[in-house]
Amino acid sequence: MKASFALTAIAALAAKASASCFSERLGYPCCSGNNVVYTDSDGQWGVENGNWCGIGGSTSQSAGCWSQALGYPCCTSTSIPVYTDGDGDWGVENGNWCGIQKGGSSSGGSSSSGGNVTPGEQYTITGNPFSGVKFFINPYYTAEVDGAIAQMSDSSLIAKAKKMKEYSNAIWLDTIKNMNEWLEKNLKTALAEQSGSTKVLTVFVVYDLPGRDCHALASNGELLANDSDAARYKSEYIDVIEEKLKTYKSQPVVLIVEPDSLANMVTNIESTPACAASEKYYLDAHAYLIKKLGVLPHVAMYLDIGHAFWLGWDDNREKAGKVYSKAIASGSPGKVRGFASNVSNYTPWEDPTLSRGPDTEWNSCPDEKRYIQAMYKDFTSAGIKSVYFIEDTSRNGHKTDRTHPGEWCNQTGVGIGARPQANPVSGMDYLDAFYWVKPLGESDGTSDESAKRFDGYCGHATAMKPAPEAGQWFQKHFEQGLENANPPL
């Protein structure tokens, strides 16, 4: 994730002699200044007149910390690691990565109180969880954007990319390992950012069902549709999420639950054997997680409902009301706040050029606004008590080049959409938020036809190519999304 480099010339030198600074014994002069650009086991290094030079007379890092060598500052107000790699422990301050010095203070000053932050009293969400809170900035995505900026030369594009770091997006818990790595660290960081009465909202995507994405190949998960993996999903995934959320009880959390799963149960059981085989595990898993997580007062859950060109047709919406009503009832006494639409998709919020007819295969909901309006009526009629929505606007700001609205993989013409905000549309009180669920720049799937997880949709004419594996960074797609942003960045 972070670039590292080695001074091979330094590593090759073995001279050991006393000198006014450590680098002289290695054949390099002492620096006249204190600008640290690299730190290794010998000490801190700077560059002057195009040559390496040593800073200070000892190998200690008291004047700085190891992360300065990698282009990141030392942490000054936190000692809470949110990520650890081969370089060391990383913290986040002001939305940027910083290095945490081992053994106490990161910057040589007094010890930060951030490491002693503990959860407070139980917080209870009342109403819209996105309203009246600060949105947590995903530090991993911030680092991805920094990496993307390093590959750019266009100043206008760089300026647009920098703005992306100001907005919140969801953190995907897409494997057991990633859940263990990211859930608590981000909860802890969000807790440390809370001050006074201002709460910090963190949004996670729960995404590791047995037999996940049964109708696709690019995003198949680690767990299979069998009894053994279903047990793992409960004990190693949901139970751990429950434990961590119970610990961090004094802050609001939103969970977006298992994208594509229940939508597949509406439309693909009869046509796709893998979906038929997954049905009992999908439904059982939803019952389990709603019972476990839906009773936590500081947590709001939204079940995924695909998008307008998946469930938008009249008969699909009618069937969806029955499937989702059954799933929610099975998790009683747990509760669901509402539903997430357009996750990882490109369907525009409004498209007045489309109407019900042959161009839309007679879909009465040819854009997301009309889809959510219809779903609100249908789900309410189906007896679902809490019917609120969030809309993923991370990639639907510009009408893409897809020949059919059902195209979903790395679509050309992509543009970032409306910014994350609560209560975004007047007159739609049941629309809780526009939010960026899918991080722009992370691939939907590979275009390599020889790859094990190649999905035909990623080879379609309207899918951008060449594309990396799902979840990996896709620079060209990211840059196009910036250029086509609507409203502009």
Side-chain angles (χ1 to χ4, degrees):
M1 178 180 67
K2 306 172 187 66
S4 61
F5 56 93
L7 298 177
T8 55
I10 293 174
L13 294 173
K16 302 292 181 183
S18 60
S20 59
C21 69
F22 76 92
S23 62
E24 288 187 335
R25 72 178 187 271
L26 302 175
Y28 291 82
C30 303
C31 295
S32 59
N34 294 310
N35 184 26
V36 178
V37 297
Y38 183 76
T39 300
D40 61 12
S41 58
D42 294 308
Q44 296 173 332
W45 297 86
V47 175
E48 293 181 352
N49 300 317
N51 296 312
W52 291 104
C53 57
I55 299 174
S58 71
T59 62
S60 73
Q61 299 179 19
S62 59
C65 68
W66 54 271
S67 64
Q68 290 177 320
L70 304 177
Y72 295 85
C74 306
C75 296
T76 60
S77 61
T78 183
S79 60
I80 301 174
V82 297
Y83 184 81
T84 300
D85 59 13
D87 297 312
D89 292 334
W90 297 87
V92 175
E93 292 178 352
N94 300 317
N96 294 313
W97 291 103
C98 57
I100 297 175
Q101 186 78 298
K102 292 183 178 179
S105 170
S106 297
S107 58
S110 60
S111 176
S112 167
S113 62
N116 297 321
V117 173
T118 56
E121 297 298 319
Q122 177 70 59
Y123 178 75
T124 298
I125 293 174
T126 56
N128 184 354
F130 291 87
S131 183
V133 296
K134 176 184 175 183
F135 294 173
F136 180 69
I137 304 297
N138 181 352
Y140 180 77
Y141 187 69
T142 297
E144 285 188 310
V145 173
D146 283 335
I149 291 172
Q151 301 179 53
M152 299 175 181
S153 58
D154 185 301
S155 59
S156 175
L157 199 61
I158 290 172
K160 294 176 188 293
K162 287 181 177 179
K163 291 181 180 179
M164 294 293 289
K165 298 192 292 181
E166 301 174 7
Y167 298 103
S168 177
N169 56 27
I171 300 161
W172 288 63
L173 310 177
D174 57 349
T175 64
I176 292 171
K177 178 180 181 296
N178 286 346
M179 181 275 295
N180 283 314
E181 178 70 28
W182 288 111
L183 177 61
E184 183 169 27
K185 288 178 180 177
N186 286 292
L187 287 171
K188 185 180 293 185
T189 306
L191 175 63
E193 289 182 5
Q194 290 195 162
S195 60
S197 60
T198 301
K199 296 296 181 179
V200 176
L201 172 69
T202 316
V203 180
F204 297 96
V205 181
V206 176
Y207 187 54
D208 201 26
L209 271 180
R212 188 181 77 193
D213 282 354
C214 59
H215 191 62
L217 295 176
S219 47
N220 287 162
E222 63 181 347
L223 302 177
L224 302 178
N226 59 49
D227 291 348
S228 176
D229 279 2
R232 288 191 64 200
Y233 178 80
K234 294 177 180 179
S235 64
E236 298 180 37
Y237 187 71
I238 295 300
D239 287 358
V240 178
I241 293 175
E242 177 195 29
E243 175 193 356
K244 301 304 180 185
L245 292 178
K246 282 184 174 180
T247 298
Y248 294 89
K249 61 183 181 179
S250 59
Q251 61 203 95
V253 173
V254 159
L255 300 179
I256 298 167
V257 177
E258 299 294 353
D260 295 352
S261 58
L262 292 180
N264 272 315
M265 297 298 95
V266 174
T267 63
N268 294 319
I269 291 179
E270 295 179 0
S271 61
T272 306
C275 291
S278 300
E279 180 181 16
K280 72 172 183 177
Y281 299 109
Y282 279 24
L283 297 178
D284 181 59
H286 275 80
Y288 188 83
L289 69 88
I290 293 171
K291 287 178 181 178
K292 287 275 187 172
L293 309 178
V295 296
L296 304 178
H298 63 298
V299 175
M301 293 198 297
Y302 295 81
L303 306 184
D304 181 81
I305 56 169
H307 53 86
F309 274 90
W310 189 343
L311 301 182
W313 286 268
D314 296 349
D315 55 345
N316 284 347
R317 297 198 320 273
E318 181 182 1
K319 187 176 180 181
K322 297 175 182 177
V323 170
Y324 284 83
S325 177
K326 179 181 178 181
I328 293 169
S330 72
S332 181
K335 296 180 180 180
V336 169
R337 168 70 181 179
F339 308 91
S341 187
N342 209 37
V343 171
S344 298
N345 208 266
Y346 302 86
T347 309
W349 173 246
E350 287 186 276
D351 189 350
T353 67
L354 293 178
S355 61
R356 186 173 190 165
D359 290 342
T360 60
E361 297 183 0
W362 303 100
N363 186 352
S364 60
C365 303
D367 60 29
E368 282 294 301
K369 183 176 182 180
R370 280 176 277 186
Y371 176 55
I372 287 179
Q373 288 172 334
M375 278 298 214
Y376 175 74
K377 295 178 181 177
D378 293 339
F379 278 6
T380 301
S381 297
I384 299 175
K385 295 181 179 179
S386 184
V387 183
Y388 296 90
F389 299 87
I390 63 170
E391 169 76 8
D392 186 357
T393 58
S394 61
R395 304 186 301 175
N396 74 342
H398 183 263
K399 194 171 183 178
T400 61
D401 298 336
R402 54 189 180 180
T403 55
H404 184 274
E407 300 274 3
W408 56 265
C409 190
N410 298 321
Q411 292 300 287
T412 54
V414 62
I416 199 79
R419 313 299 181 253
Q421 57 182 306
N423 306 309
V425 179
S426 176
M428 292 184 70
D429 295 341
Y430 48 87
L431 180 64
D432 280 346
F434 286 157
Y435 191 75
W436 291 354
V437 182
K438 170 74 173 184
L440 174 69
E442 294 186 2
S443 175
D444 295 323
T446 180
S447 58
D448 180 1
E449 295 183 14
S450 65
K452 181 179 180 181
R453 297 174 66 193
F454 172 73
D455 190 294
Y457 276 94
C458 300
H460 285 190
T462 60
M464 188 179 288
K465 309 176 194 64
E469 290 280 2
Q472 294 181 5
W473 190 255
F474 194 176
Q475 182 76 11
K476 185 178 178 181
H477 205 241
F478 176 71
E479 292 182 5
Q480 188 174 82
L482 300 181
E483 293 283 14
N484 291 331
N486 179 30
L489 286 165

